Amino acid sequence: MTSGGGPDTLPFMKVRIAPSLLAADFSKLGDEVRAVEIGGADLLHFDVMDGHFVPPITVGAIAVRDLRKGTRLPLDVHLMVDRPDDLVDQFIDAGAACVTVHAEAARHLDRTVRYVKSRGVRAGVAINPATPLNAVYYVLGLVDIVLVMSVNPGWGGQPFLDYTLAKIEALKGEIRHRKLQTLIQVDGGVKLDNIGKIAKAGADIVVAGTAVFSTPDYAVAIRDLRATAVAALQKQ
Ligand code: DX5
Ligand code: ZN
């Protein structure tokens, strides 16, 4: 029934849904945020791209500051930027609940993670599809979230890379083996037809951009994603 068989497995049955605002309509961002909040989102995923680490440029801390005023949902900031150390303060000051930096971009990852935590917010480390898990092993006990990219970062609407499932499974095994509380977040290409296997592999938080914002009813999309994930976990 459950993956581990004991009562301590119950928290793993919860899968949090984080709609990615990258796929929202930026001409009415406040309304989009309210709609997913009412629709049952657990947190809001906010993608920051700098035109260097990834080609596109999105938006900065000012948007986080203003969105913060209109929602109670935690703002989960995914920094796809070079030199994240130069930017983390801006996003924390703007009201981010969680700041995630890429292992490939943070030269002194341990220092950056410790700094983010010292500012009283959750710290996440993201790894690109081709980056080995070793990149996070030594900071695994320090970070709150490991974000496993399941597409190459930079754009929404890309197909999920199936080989990342093995990486999610291996990471979950390591977290359980070390009895850590670290959460696994999976970002990119999550859809109704694959969220079950993503949850079974060990995702605690799934980011969903187009799977939410390209549908006519966000509440239905969020509900169906969560229900499909939970059903897959119950079948294990
Ligand atoms: C991609 C971003 C994702 C993106 C996901 O670089 O980090 O958060 O918005 O979009 P979907 O869910 O459409 O793949
Ligand atoms: Zn993201």
Side-chain angles (χ1 to χ4, degrees):
M1 180 79 178
T2 57
S3 52
D8 63 328
T9 60
L10 283 174
F12 296 112
M13 302 299 282
K14 178 158 172 59
V15 177
R16 297 165 181 85
I17 308 291
S20 165
L21 291 176
L22 189 63
D25 182 340
F26 275 55
S27 73
K28 48 174 186 171
L29 215 41
D31 294 341
E32 296 278 72
V33 168
R34 272 183 290 283
V36 291
E37 181 168 11
I38 291 165
D42 295 293
L43 60 167
L44 278 174
H45 187 78
F46 189 90
D47 289 301
V48 180
M49 306 183 188
D50 66 350
H52 297 281
F53 183 72
V54 291
I57 296 176
T58 54
V59 281
I62 292 169
V64 170
R65 182 197 67 194
D66 288 351
L67 288 174
R68 174 73 287 148
K69 297 176 200 161
T71 181
R72 290 182 156 172
L73 287 177
L75 286 167
D76 163 40
V77 174
H78 177 193
L79 292 180
M80 284 161 278
V81 303
D82 281 338
R83 305 169 61 95
D85 291 351
D86 295 350
L87 293 174
V88 291
D89 276 317
Q90 291 179 32
F91 286 93
I92 295 169
D93 292 342
C98 172
V99 174
T100 294
V101 301
H102 267 261
E104 304 86 357
R107 275 189 168 183
H108 304 283
L109 187 59
D110 177 278
R111 194 177 71 196
T112 304
V113 166
R114 286 180 196 277
Y115 181 71
V116 169
K117 287 176 69 97
S118 79
R119 295 271 343 251
V121 302
R122 304 287 174 106
V125 175
I127 49 173
N128 285 336
T131 300
L133 279 179
N134 292 0
V136 295
Y137 271 1
Y138 291 101
V139 291
L140 207 48
L142 199 60
V143 298
D144 299 293
I145 294 172
V146 175
L147 192 172
V148 177
M149 286 303 307
S150 42
V151 298
N152 289 292
W155 301 272
Q158 303 179 77
F160 182 86
L161 294 168
D162 266 317
Y163 70 80
T164 60
L165 286 169
K167 204 164 155 182
I168 299 162
E169 274 172 23
L171 180 58
K172 192 65 162 192
E174 184 68 17
I175 288 168
R176 285 187 171 156
H177 176 69
R178 285 158 65 173
K179 297 187 168 44
L180 299 172
Q181 301 299 314
T182 320
L183 298 175
I184 300 178
Q185 183 174 32
V186 177
D187 185 6
V190 176
K191 298 275 183 288
L192 257 187
D193 64 5
N194 60 20
I195 194 168
K197 57 186 179 182
I198 294 166
K200 272 164 107 170
D204 302 293
I205 306 168
V206 291
V207 176
T210 45
V212 171
F213 287 104
S214 69
T215 68
D217 189 332
Y218 304 161
V220 169
I222 292 166
R223 183 197 66 199
D224 289 352
L225 285 166
R226 184 182 286 113
T228 307
V230 169
L233 290 174
Q234 284 169 342
K235 271 192 218 132
Q236 286 192 119

